[in-house]
Every structure is written in structure tokens, then in C-alpha cells.
């Protein structure tokens, strides 16, 4: 009993890693899997105290923050309450929820998920695209409603092979999407912050020009001030009436209102969307569209990748610290 008490006291003295919102992979495999002799988790969402009061109470022991998609943003105000924090880790690749300027000013290191989730996100992007083109979800609903027997065959979908694919953001995820689609004999071109010297895909400086020369746009870039609403009515009109858009980046990269208008008016053929501008709220118009496939921001969420996130290449190693 004394040994157990000493162990508990030692854990209480460990540096605290703050979690502002439940993180799916911890719930999936249980917190015990992530037990460490270096730190303990401090779960703000379990407290009845207002967040600012909770942070002020525990601030001396909080040394790091583990942030996930949908959690409160790591703002300058939050960081001001936590003077001992030296590290912010996100479970995503994107860092739009972290005030990077404030972290840099205070010397706080920031780490993202690196390439750990790239394969899963790329798989999901291709899955969304196949679903939209071949009408998998729509035809599933048709069968389940008994309409096959009463109304006959469902309209055929479109072939993926040979499609012209435009990748917006040729980073780890974008490149993984491109390699998968090459296996379907698709032709790949891309837009990115700069030309990638190691790839042979055609590069377009203008997203609008890329869209005009593609059948499909796959959004893989980060959300920044520069990419906010980058995909607007002009870009979607350039993509055209037979064009399809897939978004596994961030919702606000697309001007959602203009995209919905284009879908309603038939100015593009369809969309596969894992992310939305005001999550978890989704435009109601999309619910009635058979040519739109929706998922609740789960492209990275596989148990296998969550377990890798803890492993030798994962966040505990600090191997992907952003300078």
C-alpha cells in the first residue's frame, strides 16, 4: 500500500500535459496505453470550473499542451495563462488552431503529426472520390430504401481511370494521394506554394488555371490566411459542370456558401467532403444531394495510426518538432 501511495504521489509531481477536449485515440485504446514515467495528462474538459479559472489554478504544473481537431484554439490568451508551457503538440498536420506567432515570441516549440497520418488521409481522399464518381453511397441508399425493386436500375457512375486530377497542396498527403491515383492511370497536376523540383507533374501557379485543366480537384493544403476561401466560385466555375471536388484539408479553404450554390445550380458535378467551414455544422442543402458524400472529419482516424502516434515516430519522441 505504501508503495502504491508513493507511486501516486510521484505521478502527481510529474509535469502535466494539458488536454482541452477528449482525443479520440486516447478513448479508443484507453489512457493506460499512454501512461508515461515522464508526464501525466490533465483533462480540462472533466472540470466543472470555467476554462480560464481551471488553467490559472493548474498553470504552475502545465508544461505542454496536446491539441486535437475541434479543441479550443491555442490562442495568446490561453498561453498567457500558462507561463510554464514550453511545447504544443497537435494530433493533426494543420496548425491553424495554434497562434504560431505567440509561440515563436515566447520560445514555445510546436509539433504536428508529421507524416504519421498521411497514408490514412490519402486512402480516404481516394475513397471519397471513388464514392462520388461511382455513386457508391447514393446507390447504397437506393437499395436500402427498396427502390431497386420498384424503380429499376440506378443511374451509372463515372469512371475514375484516366481522369485529370489537380492536387492543391503537394505535401506529404498530397503526394500520397497523387501516387495512389497514378495507379488508376489518372494524370496528375498540382498547385502548391512553390514548384516541387523532385516531381514531374505539371505545376500551375494559379489554382483557377489548375481547375480549368482538371476533372477533379483534391484539396490537401493547410488552412492559412493565404488559403482561406481560396477555392471560390471562380475556381469552381473553371472546374466546370463535370468537375468534382474532394476536400480533406480544412473546411474554410473552400468558400462553402459559394460551393453549395454551385452544387445546387449544377455548376459542378459533385463533392466529397470530410471537412467543413463551421464544424460540426454542415449546410443543410448538402444533405439532400446524392452527388455529395459527407464524412465527419475522420480521414485520419484509424486505430493503427493512433498507435503509431505514440510509437518511436510519434509525438513522445519529439522527432517532428517545428523550429
Amino acid at each position: 500500500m505504501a508503495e502504491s501511495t508513493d507511486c501516486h504521489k510521484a505521478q502527481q509531481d510529474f509535469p502535466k500535459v494539458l488536454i482541452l477536449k477528449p482525443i479520440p485515440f486516447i478513448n479508443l485504446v484507453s489512457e493506460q496505453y499512454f501512461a508515461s514515467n515522464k508526464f501525466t495528462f490533465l483533462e480540462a474538459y472533466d472540470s466543472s470550473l470555467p476554462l480560464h479559472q481551471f488553467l490559472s489554478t493548474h498553470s504552475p504544473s502545465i508544461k505542454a499542451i496536446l491539441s486535437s481537431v475541434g479543441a479550443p484554439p491555442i490562442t495568446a490568451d490561453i498561453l498567457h495563462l500558462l507561463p510554464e508551457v514550453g511545447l504544443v503538440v497537435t494530433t493533426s498536420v494543420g496548425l491553424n488552431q495554434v497562434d504560431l506567432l505567440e509561440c515563436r515570441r515566447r520560445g514555445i516549440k510546436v509539433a504536428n503529426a508529421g507524416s504519421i497520418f498521411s497514408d490514412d488521409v490519402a486512402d480516404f481522399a481516394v475513397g471519397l472520390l471513388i464514392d462520388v464518381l461511382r455513386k457508391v453511397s447514393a446507390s447504397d441508399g437506393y437499395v436500402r430504401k427498396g427502390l431497386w425493386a420498384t424503380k429499376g436500375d440506378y443511374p451509372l457512375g463515372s469512371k475514375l481511370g484516366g481522369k485529370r486530377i489537380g492536387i492543391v497542396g503537394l505535401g506529404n498527403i498530397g503526394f500520397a494521394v497523387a501516387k495512389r491515383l497514378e495507379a488508376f492511370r489518372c494524370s496528375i497536376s498540382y498547385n502548391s506554394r512553390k514548384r516541387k523540383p523532385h516531381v514531374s507533374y505539371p505545376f500551375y501557379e494559379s489554382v483557377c488555371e489548375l481547375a480549368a485543366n482538371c476533372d477533379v480537384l483534391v484539396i490537401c493544403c493547410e488552412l492559412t490566411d493565404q488559403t482561406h476561401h481560396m477555392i471560390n466560385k471562380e475556381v469552381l466555375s473553371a472546374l466546370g459542370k463535370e468537375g468534382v471536388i474532394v476536400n480533406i484539408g480544412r473546411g474554410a479553404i473552400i468558400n462553402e456558401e459559394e460551393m453549395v450554390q454551385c452544387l445546387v445550380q449544377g455548376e459542378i458535378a459533385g463533392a466529397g467532403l470530410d471537412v467543413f467551414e463551421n464544424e460540426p455544422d454542415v449546410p443543410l442543402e448538402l444533405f439532400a444531394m446524392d452527388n455529395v458524400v459527407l464524412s465527419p472529419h475522420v480521414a485520419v482516424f484509424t486505430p493503427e495510426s493512433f498507435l503509431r502516434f505514440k510509437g518511436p515516430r510519434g509525438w513522445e519522441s519529439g522527432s517532428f518538432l517545428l523550429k
Side-chain angles (χ1 to χ4, degrees):
M1 178 67 74
E3 183 177 347
S4 175
T5 302
D6 291 343
C7 181
H8 181 70
K9 184 179 186 305
Q11 287 183 333
Q12 286 183 322
D13 293 336
F14 284 166
K16 301 296 191 297
V17 176
L18 175 68
I19 303 177
L20 296 171
K21 178 195 172 188
I23 296 178
F25 65 77
I26 292 180
N27 294 335
L28 183 70
V29 298
S30 88
E31 190 172 316
Q32 291 304 311
Y33 180 85
F34 291 84
S36 171
N37 60 0
K38 300 175 183 177
F39 61 83
T40 57
F41 289 123
L42 183 64
E43 296 157 340
Y45 53 85
D46 274 345
S47 174
S48 60
L49 293 174
L51 179 59
H52 278 52
Q53 185 178 345
F54 178 88
L55 297 181
S56 297
T57 301
H58 294 278
S59 64
S61 63
I62 298 174
K63 307 297 183 182
I65 303 172
L66 181 57
S67 174
S68 62
V69 171
I74 311 302
T75 63
D77 287 343
I78 293 288
L79 294 171
H80 178 72
L81 295 171
L82 303 171
E84 299 301 317
V85 164
L87 173 66
V88 174
V89 178
T90 74
T91 62
S92 62
V93 175
L95 294 167
N96 56 289
Q97 74 275 29
V98 180
D99 189 330
L100 295 177
L101 289 177
E102 180 65 13
C103 288
R104 188 173 294 116
R105 188 186 71 81
R106 289 186 42 183
I108 297 172
K109 294 181 178 179
V110 180
N112 66 1
S115 61
I116 289 174
F117 299 137
S118 296
D119 285 342
D120 289 326
V121 180
D123 290 347
F124 204 89
V126 174
L128 284 174
L129 177 56
I130 292 173
D131 196 333
V132 174
L133 291 175
R134 297 301 305 271
K135 305 182 180 181
V136 179
S137 293
S139 58
D140 174 86
Y142 188 80
V143 172
R144 290 176 187 274
K145 292 172 185 174
L147 299 177
W148 190 17
T150 59
K151 292 192 173 183
D153 292 339
Y154 192 74
L156 296 177
S158 179
K159 184 181 182 69
L160 172 58
K163 287 286 190 292
R164 300 171 301 162
I165 309 293
I167 307 290
V168 181
L170 198 69
N172 289 325
I173 293 172
F175 188 70
V177 171
K179 298 306 290 184
R180 282 156 173 74
L181 290 174
E182 279 189 307
F184 289 89
R185 294 177 290 102
C186 295
S187 60
I188 309 296
S189 53
Y190 74 100
N191 165 271
S192 212
R193 283 176 292 183
K194 56 185 178 181
R195 187 189 298 269
K196 307 289 184 180
H198 63 285
V199 300
S200 59
Y201 309 138
F203 170 71
Y204 290 88
E205 291 188 5
S206 162
V207 177
C208 200
E209 188 179 354
L210 175 69
N213 287 278
C214 289
D215 305 305
V216 176
L217 278 185
V218 183
I219 311 303
C220 304
C221 60
E222 295 183 34
L223 176 61
T224 66
D225 290 343
Q226 290 71 39
T227 62
H228 182 266
H229 283 187
M230 176 173 65
I231 308 301
N232 54 22
K233 182 176 174 58
E234 181 184 7
V235 174
L236 295 170
S237 296
L239 184 60
K241 292 182 180 296
E242 301 301 317
V244 169
I245 190 161
V246 172
N247 191 5
I248 43 81
R250 286 291 186 270
I253 295 169
I254 298 177
N255 185 319
E256 197 166 75
E257 183 177 346
E258 293 182 358
M259 178 191 66
V260 169
Q261 184 182 26
C262 286
L263 285 163
V264 169
Q265 296 176 354
E267 294 179 22
I268 60 173
L273 307 171
D274 183 54
V275 289
F276 304 90
E277 192 161 356
N278 299 296
E279 296 177 4
D281 297 325
V282 176
L284 296 179
E285 297 94 328
L286 298 180
F287 295 163
M289 296 182 184
D290 288 342
N291 59 335
V292 177
V293 178
L294 309 172
S295 60
H297 204 150
V298 294
V300 302
F301 294 166
T302 66
E304 295 86 350
S305 288
F306 284 143
L307 297 180
R308 285 181 63 208
F309 193 62
K310 168 66 163 58
R313 292 179 57 198
W315 70 281
E316 204 177 35
S317 70
S319 59
F320 46 79
L321 287 179
L322 305 178
K323 304 301 182 184

